[in-house]
Every structure is written in structure tokens, then in C-alpha cells.
Amino acid sequence: MTTKKIVVVGNGMVGHYYADKLATHPAQHDITVLGAEPRPAYDRVHLSEVFSGKSPEDLALTTREHYKEIGVKAHFGDAVARIDRDKKEVVTDLGRRFPYDKLVLATGSYPFVPPVPGSDLPGCLTYRTIDDLGEIRAHARKGKVGVVVGGGLLGLECANALKNLGLQTHVVEFAPGLMGVQLDDGGSTMLRAMIEELDVSVHTSKATQKIVPGKEHQLRMEFADGTSLETDLIVFSAGIRPNDQLAKQADLEVGERGGITIDYHCRTSDSDIFAIGECALFGGRIFGLVAPGYRMADAALSQLTDTPVSFQGADMSTKLKLLGIDVGSIGDSHGKALHKGQACASFLYSNDRERVYKKIVVSHDGKKLLGAVLVGDCSDYDTLLQFFLNDMDLPGNPESIILPADSGAEPLLSGMTLPMSATICSCLNVTKGAIVGAIEGGCCSVADVKSVTKASTGCGGCFALLKSTVDAELAARGVEINNHLCEHFAYSRQELFHLIKVGSLKSFVDILDKHGKGRGCEVCKPTVASILASLWNEYVLKKEHVSLQDTNDNFLANMQKDGTYSLVPRIPGGEITAEKLIVIGQVAKKYQLYTKITGGQRIDLFGARVNQLPDIWGELVAAGFETGHAYGKALRTVKSCVGNSWCRYGVQDSVSMAILIENRYKGIRSPHKLKSAVSGCTRECAEAQSKDFGVIATENGWNLYVCGNGGMKPRHADLFATDLDDETLIRYIDRFLMFYIRTADRLQRTSVWMNNLEGGLDYLREVVIEDTLGIAKELESQMALLLNTYQCEWKTTIEDPEKLKRFRQFVNSDKEDTNVVFVQERGQVRPAKETEREALLTLS
Amino acid sequence: MNSAPRPRSSSDPIAIFSLSELQEDSGACVLINDVQIAVFYLPKETPPLYALHNWDPLGKANVLYRGIVGDIDGELVVASPLYKQHYSLGTGRCLEDEATRVPTYEISLEGDSVIVTLNPRRHAA
């Protein structure tokens, strides 16, 4: 078989997708790519990001080298001038000729500029290519005001670009509303209000009649209603027109209003010529989005690679961020079409205060989703799209999908409920079937499935759905998600804790000998160190423990990106005297540390070199400070409000209680960090409900809340017990913490731990309050042991010269790490960025 | 596989210090001609001493000596204290990123003295 010559005209997103896929397909082809632009394909969808810091290189989808590697001949900056169908070759502007067996036209589209007098004046621009951006930037430099003509998807994207350039930005739209194709009136009105809040002026129902030189600015636009607007530049972004000239000249069939006519296989009227992307006309429509373009490319490809698929049109649902605002549109968003001969119904949720607008259009019987509009909040988009694309039956009360969810509500859709044909990843067009296939082919994790199917490697928006699908499928196959600590210990943390306790084991070597294999690693060593600390509470830098400690525990400070450390002295309850504040200030000044107030009412000191830590702590300890354990999986801080000592509303002394709690539990090691807070009244100024254990004062005592956290997945704590006296409060916390320390998994916060306890909160109450397991006394005495053996690790360390040796930067030199370079910002140091560092190091 | 180390030539700069300066199963750092070398002492292994460049090429900081040592599938490694990638103590290879490798150096124990030589060892690919 002779190798077929394939010529791809156009190197936009779709042309590149086609060439890249064909080249990496096992079937051998001789592929030539001809791009009119001077550079290889780039991501046009995110063009405006060039004005918010991205470089054109960041947008690149490929490189000349990549094409070389995959054996594609690529030529850029020389447009194709004509097609010679008789000789089966194309001829470029420079007269180069490229013969083809099959020709693929991926010539894309050009921006439509309305035929308004004056629209060719200098300062009238378009927005399509990286070169266009250069023009826009050049004109923006000379002016202050910019106008975008067109209030559609592209127009608003372009308005974002102008705004990023610092121009006073206007959007001029001919129609009465913004994004009229995708949004209904209500959604459009909400979007307009949100855009105007961003200081972008919106003018709708404006027909531009002519453009003339302006008086105060470069140009003046005169509108049909007699008004006018002066501006320094105008960008036309009022729709696209297909680039079909080559096809016209070659007598290929084109639509009346443009577009190269194609069939299901993306073939033009010449069966050796394909057209894909925005230049192609299918079923009388141009598909001006990238995903349908990719589907066309797939269909055209399949003609050469023996697994034919056809292009059947494409869903034009879309989700995007315009000027930072989430906008989504699915199906028949206007709800105007009849469904099976009957008018449809719609549900609407509109919230002016939070700027959210959601509408769903459903069939007459309420069973099928026909369309949706989302503005301000697209979190329901993926769910709605799955209902829509898979024609799935809606729940009995469809409005529940768009109404604000009650906290803790189960997700409506999970991987298991979707049909095999459901598209999980719409960027890469990966179906649930493909994911299941990958699992059957041996994939055992989300990461495996990602690398095999490429799902979730585009925008990443489908990751949660992908994960739930993979997890559910794995579980259905009986794959045991094993909870072994690592390859060295075939036990969970809880099991290992038990083994160490029962065997009274006191060193890693013994534990590895008895229960593990190999030499250990950075997962099991710190876990064992933590368990040993929870059980026996020996000095963490003791000779047999020191090599087990995680980075931060190892040097009793928090390593930062440049290898320097931050340190946090304990400030119990956030209460500190003026004298101590002064000491912190003096120390920070002396060692030139960056200081920042933490969220836990403490002070973090950054930029300490490892060799400076002992001296710094020497001064802090001398002034009465203790270590704050900011480096450890341990109690961090107990935040408090001032309580009834000062506050008019306080009902208990929250500061004293916070200090008592913090001093009681400081230093104990736990599976993850622990945070706490005490509020002096129900106003909850200390935010106790966002903590692992939080205390809120009542008229009669204290309410205890457990298992809350902030961070990546915030969770409000649950009310555990009410109106406790001081003694009972402490007793419950003792038991609660010790039970957590015993039974939680490695790096499992209290909230996840409780969720995984069978019986959840009620079970936890039974164990802690009612002592149904009969272990309360044991938990209390274990806690008592930890409290009695507390030591300030820094105090112990600075008193031991042998330990201090470890804090030298070099064994054989007093020099410092020359790679640590600081610059000044707002009167303090910060690590130099890479570019700054290079400049500074070259100077020195 | 390691190729046989080139015999130390008298011109290679070296650092000599007492073994007691090192902590068992931990790292320390030595400086030779402004090159930072992370030195690891694993008394139960043969050989017991390993030397890698201290620069973590992925974390971009001089921190490797502060990592935890252990083994992955039997290969002795140090885990970067920044982002926990594993570097082979024997070859400097990064287990998570084929393209990344940290230079390794000759290190030996003569009596009670540790000798590190600024002579990068080469490894068969």
C-alpha cells in the first residue's frame, strides 16, 4: 500500500487537532500542514488571557518541533491561494505546490465587520488572532476608551481583553439584550447588571450608522437613534463568517450565506476534499464552537483510519467565564420550541442579592430537561448537561436541581446512574463507556483512567464526576480500596496504633522488624513517629526518632518554598502582653524576618535560615515563649474572643477557657493538625464552629461542637453537647481527642473521621458521653499521661549542644546557602522570584 | 547500574570530616568549592554512605539533605522535603520524573573519616 498524501489547510485549533490525531494514529500517512498565520496552532478560546499576563507561548497548542517529532511537514506564514482539483494540488501565495490524495480544509472563519461607513478607519479592529491582539494593544496605548461592537459570547470575551488593557470599556449591541443566542431575557438582564458592576458600559438596541473621526477621542460612532459615542478604538466582534473562498474558487458547493457544504463524513462535494471546523456548513449551520469542530475532525479522520464515525451535528451547550462571570446555556434555553406538540414548562430561580439566575426548561410532563440558562453560578451545569444529553428522567421535583442545596444533601447524579453513552469529559469527548472500558482493561485508579482515556485533562471541570464514576465502578467490581499505610506496612494507621500499643513498642526499628518490611519511607516514618508520640510522648528529636520526623517536625519549624523556615511562638488564646509583643518585634527586626498575623491569632515569622533557628528560639524561650507546634500534626491554636471580661454581650470568660484548653492540649501529636476556638456568646466571634472542636458560651455553661474545619472543604462543626460545666467540657474533649488519635487514619481530619465512623455523630456521643465501649477511663488516663509528659521541644533542643549540631547548614563550613535571596516588599523581606534572583546573583 | 567509580585523582577537591558529625539514617550537607552536597548515612546498608547534589531540581531549593530516607521497591531513596518526589540515593534518578536526575558524588569511609570528592559519578543510562 502506498502512503497517502494528506494536506491540511489551516492550523487553527481544529486543523491542529486533526493533524495531530492522524499523525499519532498507527496508519501511516504523509501529512502536510499549511498555516496562514506565522505561528503554529494556539488556543483561541482563551485569547483575552494574553492581556492578563499569559504570553502567546502559553496559549500554544503545539510547536514546530512537535510536528517534526510526529513526522508532520508543517509550513507557516504562507497561505494557500488556490486548489487545483484536476492536478490534485494546492498552490500557496509564494507559489509553492503541494500535491494531495486527500485534502482537508480547516480554514476557520473571520470576524464579521458590518458594512458601516467608516468601519475601515484606523482604530477599527477585529479580534481573532494573536496578531490582532498586537494591533489592539498598540491602539490601546494611545487611548483611554475602547468599544466592542457585539454583545455575544465573543464580544464579551473581547470586552474582557479591553478591560484588562485598562481601557474604559463599552459594549455596543444591535439586539435588545446580551448573548441573545444563549440566554433568555432574565438571564441576559442579570448578566448585564453584573457586567455593569464591573464598570463596563453596556449599550443595547444600538444600530451603528456611521463612524467618523471624533473630537475628544479618535473616533465617533453615530447611532440610528441619534445618539453618539466617542472612543479611541473599536473592535468588531459581531459574529463570524466562514473562510470559504478557496472552496468557492474551486467550485465546491457552498451555502447561500457561506460555508463549505459537508455531509455526515465531513466530505465536500468533491469526495477527496473534507472540510471541518468553522469553515464547514452542516445541515445549514455553522458550528462556531471548538468542541463541534473536534467532532467533525474525528468524523473526517475516521474515513482514513477504518473505524468510520459520522458527524450528526453537535450540541451547542456551553459553559464559560465572561469577564469573570459564570455563564451557562444548555439546549433550548429560551423554551420557545414545542416538545412533542406541547408547550414546555420552566422553573426559575433568581437571586438579585447574590447575583444568581438559573432557569430550566422542561417538557410538559416535567420528565425531560429541554434547556437551561445559568448566570452567576454554573455549579449545576454538569448535572443539567448530563440530564439533557442523555435524555434522562428528571426527579419528581425538577426545581430541586437549581434551588440552593441544603448542606449535606446527596449529589443528585453520581457516576453509577449515568448511561454508558453519557459524555463524562466533553473537552476530550470521553464517554462513561470508555471509562468503564479502561477499568476493564486494567486501570485501577483515577490517575490510570486519566492517562489512558485523557478524560479530565482538558478544562478539568469533570474531575469530580470522573472520580465518582471510577470509584463506583471499582467498588462494583469488588476492588478493595486498600488502606495500607504504604508498601512497608500492610496495616491501616488504626491497626498499627493498636499493634504498637499492645506490643509496647517504642522504636521504629522494632516496629518495622515486627510488623513491616523494607526500610520505611516518608509516609510510614512520620506516621509511626506520630503514633509513638501519642502513646509514649518522648522528645521528638530523640536519637531514635529524629530520622522519622517529617520535614517540619525535624527542624521544629515550617519549611517554605526556598528552603528557609517560618516559626510561630505559642500565644495561648491569642492573648499577649505588650512586653512579649515587643520581644517578637525585636527578634523579627534583629533577624530580618517577615512577620504576618495568622488566622489563629498568632504571629508567624518567616525567612529564618536553618542555622538561625536555635539563636532565634534562644531569645524567644528566654522571654518566656514556647513553641507553637505550627510544624506538627498537633494542636495548633485555640482562638478566642474577649468574652465577658470586656464585651457587653459576653456571657462567659472565653479567653480564660481558651488559654486553659490550649495549654492543656499543646504538644500532643494527632493524625492531622487540630484547631479549636472558644466564643464568649452566641454571636460566635471566635468562629468555633469551623474548628475540630469548638466551644461556645451559654448562660449556663458551654456548648461543645465537634468535627468542623475550614480549608479546602469547609465544614461546620456539629453540636455535640450543651450547657456543660468546665469540668465536664474538659472531660469530653479529653475523650474525644484521644478516641480520634487512636482510631483515625493518617492525615484524616476529624470531620472525615467522623463521617467514616459507622453511626457518625450519634455513635461518637455514645462512646464519649455514655461510654458504651467502656474505654472512657482508658482514654482519660492516656490523655493524662500526655499532659504530664509535655515539654517545649524548642527549650529541650536549645539546651542540648549535640542536638544543635543538626541545625548547621554545612557540616564543614560556616557559610550560608547562597541560593536564598530576599528582596524587599512593603518594608519587609520576601523570597526573590526566579527572575529577580537571577538578576541579583549576576550582579554580585 | 553503576559504573565503576573513577579513581580519585589528587586534583579533585574533597571534604573530610568525622563520621560522628552525621546522624544515623539522616542527611547532612557539606560544601566543596561552593557546591552543596547532601550526604546520607545509613549504617545498616552497604555501602553506608551516599552523596547527592543538595539542589532539588523540582522544588528548586537546596534542601535534599533534609529529606526522609527510605526505600521504594527496594531502591534506597530520599524524599524531597518540599514536594516529596523520590530521588535514588545510588543514581540520583527521580522516581516520579524520568527526565530528572540529581548528580551523585563519590563518598567513602576511611577509618573514622568521611571523604566526599567533588567528582560526579557517571551512571549507565
Side-chain angles (χ1 to χ4, degrees):
Chain A
M1 202 176 88
T2 54
T3 316
K4 277 190 188 153
K5 288 189 174 62
I6 314 296
V7 173
V8 184
V9 181
N11 195 232
M13 297 177 79
V14 174
H16 164 66
Y17 177 92
Y18 178 91
D20 191 52
K21 270 206 130 175
L22 184 63
T24 48
H25 191 275
Q28 290 289 309
H29 293 97
D30 175 359
I31 307 166
T32 303
V33 165
L34 304 172
E37 283 188 65
R39 56 181 68 76
Y42 52 89
D43 180 358
R44 243 184 261 286
V45 178
H46 296 103
L47 210 52
S48 72
E49 290 176 15
V50 168
F51 293 146
S52 56
K54 280 207 176 171
S55 70
E57 291 74 42
D58 293 332
L59 296 183
L61 295 173
T62 183
T63 58
R64 292 163 198 264
E65 290 71 36
H66 174 70
Y67 276 136
K68 237 176 237 161
E69 277 164 27
I70 58 176
V72 170
K73 291 174 219 130
H75 305 275
F76 301 103
D78 184 13
V80 171
R82 62 188 175 84
I83 305 167
D84 189 333
R85 285 169 62 190
D86 295 333
K87 289 190 189 159
K88 290 186 83 167
E89 61 179 23
V90 296
V91 186
T92 68
D93 281 344
L94 295 176
R96 291 194 284 186
R97 289 164 186 274
F98 297 93
Y100 67 83
D101 293 312
K102 299 280 179 192
L103 181 65
V104 179
L105 300 175
T107 46
S109 62
Y110 62 94
F112 169 64
V113 177
V116 173
S119 62
D120 52 354
L121 285 172
C124 289
L125 309 167
T126 55
Y127 174 78
R128 171 86 186 163
T129 65
I130 286 183
D131 288 343
D132 289 343
L133 295 186
E135 287 279 307
I136 293 173
R137 194 195 293 268
H139 278 88
R141 251 184 231 130
K142 293 181 280 184
K144 288 201 176 104
V145 182
V147 169
V148 176
V149 176
L153 196 154
L154 281 171
L156 296 180
E157 181 67 20
C158 178
N160 192 35
L162 296 192
K163 196 164 169 290
N164 283 337
L165 282 171
L167 293 176
Q168 194 186 319
T169 304
H170 297 262
V171 173
V172 172
E173 167 61 45
F174 179 77
L178 296 175
M179 290 190 69
V181 179
Q182 292 89 357
L183 303 183
D184 66 341
D185 291 348
S188 178
T189 306
M190 179 73 82
L191 179 64
R192 177 182 185 144
M194 292 171 80
I195 288 176
E196 284 174 337
E197 275 169 15
L198 299 170
D199 285 331
V200 172
S201 309
V202 178
H203 313 266
T204 50
S205 302
K206 291 276 181 202
T208 311
Q209 288 211 309
K210 62 178 171 184
I211 299 165
V212 295
K215 289 188 183 116
E216 283 172 30
H217 295 279
Q218 294 286 322
L219 301 165
R220 188 166 80 239
M221 306 174 72
E222 295 188 351
F223 303 115
D225 60 6
T227 58
S228 66
L229 177 63
E230 293 228 344
T231 176
D232 295 307
L233 65 93
I234 301 172
V235 184
F236 290 98
S237 193
I240 54 164
R241 294 290 181 270
N243 270 326
D244 55 8
Q245 300 87 334
L246 280 178
K248 270 186 199 153
Q249 286 162 10
D251 277 331
L252 296 175
E253 195 184 315
V254 295
E256 255 174 56
R257 297 173 57 202
I260 308 167
T261 310
I262 56 169
D263 64 10
Y264 288 113
H265 304 303
C266 297
R267 270 188 310 235
T268 65
S269 52
D270 177 335
S271 63
D272 285 329
I273 303 180
F274 296 91
I276 55 177
E278 290 177 344
C279 65
L281 183 74
F282 176 82
R285 305 179 62 172
I286 299 286
F287 291 82
L289 291 175
V290 70
Y294 288 165
R295 299 296 84 77
M296 290 185 201
D298 287 333
L301 264 170
S302 70
Q303 301 303 306
L304 302 177
T305 57
D306 75 23
T307 42
V309 294
S310 58
F311 180 73
Q312 310 264 12
D315 174 51
M316 294 296 276
S317 299
T318 182
K319 170 174 79 164
L320 64 171
K321 247 190 179 19
L322 292 170
L323 294 138
I325 302 164
D326 286 315
V327 178
S329 164
I330 293 175
D332 178 15
S333 52
H334 294 86
K336 290 204 172 118
L338 293 179
H339 181 253
K340 294 184 180 163
Q342 289 190 294
C344 47
S346 60
F347 294 90
L348 179 67
Y349 172 77
S350 181
N351 182 333
D352 277 340
R353 191 179 295 168
E354 290 183 7
R355 294 279 188 236
V356 173
Y357 179 93
K358 302 177 184 182
K359 186 178 90 168
I360 52 172
V361 179
V362 303
S363 59
H364 183 71
D365 59 8
K367 285 209 173 129
K368 302 289 182 192
L369 184 73
L370 305 178
V373 175
L374 302 168
V375 176
D377 176 6
C378 272
S379 52
D380 302 321
Y381 179 87
D382 292 339
T383 302
L384 290 169
L385 188 66
Q386 293 298 338
F387 275 111
F388 175 72
L389 291 179
N390 301 305
D391 203 28
M392 292 163 70
D393 279 347
L394 288 166
N397 46 342
E399 68 274 20
S400 64
I401 305 176
I402 53 168
L403 289 177
D406 291 333
S407 54
E410 286 295 305
L412 203 55
L413 270 186
S414 71
M416 278 316 261
T417 52
L418 293 171
M420 284 297 170
S421 59
T423 303
I424 303 284
C425 169
S426 44
C427 294
L428 281 299
N429 198 29
V430 183
T431 61
K432 180 177 164 188
I435 287 161
V436 171
I439 289 170
E440 278 168 358
C443 290
C444 289
S445 68
V446 176
D448 288 352
V449 172
K450 263 177 89 167
S451 83
V452 169
T453 64
K454 305 291 174 220
S456 199
T457 57
C459 75
C462 63
F463 183 77
L465 189 58
L466 173 69
K467 185 169 185 313
S468 86
T469 307
V470 171
D471 286 351
E473 290 296 330
L474 285 176
R477 281 165 180 70
V479 174
E480 191 188 339
I481 315 280
N482 97 31
N483 57 0
H484 296 174
L485 207 49
C486 62
E487 66 176 73
H488 306 103
F489 289 98
Y491 299 103
S492 68
R493 180 189 176 278
Q494 181 181 354
E495 290 161 344
L496 200 58
F497 189 101
H498 182 74
L499 289 170
I500 295 172
K501 180 167 183 284
V502 172
S504 282
L505 303 175
K506 303 226 164 145
S507 76
F508 181 78
V509 177
D510 289 348
I511 295 162
L512 191 67
D513 236 25
K514 274 211 142 114
H515 302 293
K517 59 169 199 248
R519 303 163 176 95
C521 66
E522 82 289 352
V523 172
C524 59
K525 284 184 170 181
T527 305
V528 167
S530 162
I531 294 174
L532 288 172
S534 295
L535 282 171
W536 323 121
N537 211 19
E538 293 180 324
Y539 173 47
V540 294
L541 298 187
K542 204 176 157 190
K543 188 164 177 287
E544 55 265 50
H545 301 325
V546 65
S547 67
L548 311 178
Q549 306 298 345
D550 214 342
T551 314
N552 292 346
D553 279 290
N554 209 326
F555 291 91
L556 305 174
N558 292 40
M559 186 184 277
Q560 303 299 324
K561 60 196 273 190
D562 60 349
T564 64
Y565 288 89
S566 73
L567 51 113
V568 186
R570 188 167 293 289
I571 301 178
E575 182 186 80
I576 185 165
T577 61
E579 284 76 16
K580 279 192 161 177
L581 268 179
I582 289 167
V583 170
I584 290 184
Q586 283 167 338
V587 167
K589 197 171 172 187
K590 177 168 170 188
Y591 294 94
Q592 296 185 40
L593 305 174
Y594 169 86
T595 57
K596 188 161 191 317
I597 310 293
T598 73
Q601 302 184 333
R602 326 206 268 184
I603 299 173
D604 210 339
L605 306 168
F606 288 79
R609 293 164 181 271
V610 68
N611 51 302
Q612 291 178 317
L613 289 171
D615 291 342
I616 293 171
W617 272 107
E619 297 192 20
L620 290 171
V621 168
F625 282 105
E626 289 186 319
T627 181
H629 295 98
Y631 45 81
K633 305 292 176 225
L635 178 78
R636 295 287 169 84
T637 165
V638 182
K639 192 173 169 176
S640 70
C641 67
V642 288
N644 66 0
S645 325
W646 289 90
C647 178
R648 284 177 291 148
Y649 304 108
V651 293
Q652 303 284 352
D653 182 358
S654 48
V655 177
S656 296
M657 180 53 78
I659 292 172
L660 187 151
I661 292 176
E662 183 157 344
N663 280 329
R664 184 173 180 85
Y665 301 117
K666 66 188 175 192
I668 62 167
R669 295 307 207 267
S670 50
H672 209 312
K673 64 184 171 189
L674 286 167
K675 294 185 177 182
S676 180
V678 182
S679 279
C681 80
T682 180
R683 285 169 186 75
E684 239 286 69
C685 295
E687 297 166 326
Q689 289 170 92
S690 66
K691 306 298 181 192
D692 294 284
F693 61 104
V695 179
I696 301 178
T698 69
E699 298 281 348
N700 309 313
W702 308 98
N703 284 351
L704 174 61
Y705 290 77
V706 296
C707 303
N709 58 251
M712 187 162 69
K713 277 185 76 180
R715 181 184 189 277
H716 266 135
D718 291 308
L719 181 58
F720 187 74
T722 53
D723 290 336
L724 305 174
D725 57 36
D726 290 11
E727 200 187 319
T728 314
L729 173 72
I730 295 298
R731 192 164 65 238
Y732 286 176
I733 299 174
D734 276 6
R735 294 174 181 179
F736 165 78
L737 287 179
M738 215 56 234
F739 189 50
Y740 164 66
I741 290 169
R742 264 195 190 192
T743 60
D745 232 333
R746 169 183 171 264
L747 299 184
Q748 191 175 43
R749 296 260 338 229
T750 51
S751 57
V752 182
W753 166 69
M754 186 183 72
N755 281 338
N756 287 1
L757 287 178
E758 215 165 302
L761 184 67
D762 289 335
Y763 174 70
L764 198 54
R765 279 205 192 98
E766 287 167 17
V767 173
V768 170
I769 300 176
E770 293 158 31
D771 191 19
T772 49
L773 295 182
I775 57 168
K777 281 283 157 284
E778 203 185 320
L779 295 175
E780 283 172 35
S781 64
Q782 181 66 35
M783 181 61 84
L785 172 103
L786 296 186
L787 304 181
N788 290 333
T789 48
Y790 168 80
Q791 57 184 308
C792 169
E793 291 142 7
W794 263 114
K795 186 161 182 292
T796 312
T797 303
I798 55 178
E799 286 166 356
D800 182 350
E802 195 54 31
K803 288 294 165 209
L804 291 181
K805 272 168 65 176
R806 297 184 50 254
F807 291 85
R808 292 171 303 180
Q809 171 69 36
F810 300 112
V811 170
N812 63 338
S813 164
D814 291 331
K815 288 190 181 173
E816 292 186 319
D817 181 357
T818 49
N819 191 58
V820 171
V821 181
F822 296 124
V823 293
Q824 292 282 321
E825 186 170 84
R826 294 184 291 275
Q828 301 203 73
V829 296
R830 68 156 167 79
K833 293 171 185 158
E834 219 157 324
T835 46
E836 293 168 335
R837 177 162 48 212
E838 274 159 26
L840 286 167
L841 289 177
T842 335
L843 279 178
S844 62
Chain B
M1 247 179 21
N2 301 349
S3 58
R6 176 162 68 91
R8 197 165 79 229
S9 83
S10 55
S11 59
D12 287 329
I14 59 168
I16 305 183
F17 51 90
S18 162
L19 183 64
S20 63
E21 300 286 339
L22 300 181
Q23 185 91 40
E24 290 185 7
D25 298 315
S26 291
C29 196
V30 300
L31 193 66
I32 310 179
N33 285 5
D34 284 339
V35 177
Q36 298 190 20
I37 300 176
V39 173
F40 299 94
Y41 176 40
L42 285 64
K44 289 188 283 298
E45 306 296 333
T46 326
L49 290 165
Y50 299 85
L52 301 181
H53 201 289
N54 191 36
W55 177 254
D56 175 353
L58 299 171
K60 299 200 192 311
N62 284 313
V63 294
L64 284 187
Y65 82 91
R66 293 179 222 157
I68 291 181
V69 293
D71 71 332
I72 298 293
D73 290 334
E75 182 163 12
L76 291 177
V77 293
V78 59
S80 160
L82 283 167
Y83 303 113
K84 313 294 188 242
Q85 292 94 353
H86 300 94
Y87 296 95
S88 163
L89 291 183
T91 67
R93 181 175 77 90
C94 174
L95 270 53
E96 284 77 16
D97 180 9
E98 276 301 317
T100 301
R101 183 179 282 246
V102 179
T104 57
Y105 299 89
E106 277 176 32
I107 183 165
S108 58
L109 188 60
E110 290 180 18
D112 185 35
S113 295
V114 180
I115 303 173
V116 186
T117 309
L118 190 59
N119 168 23
R121 286 165 45 179
R122 277 176 294 272
H123 302 280

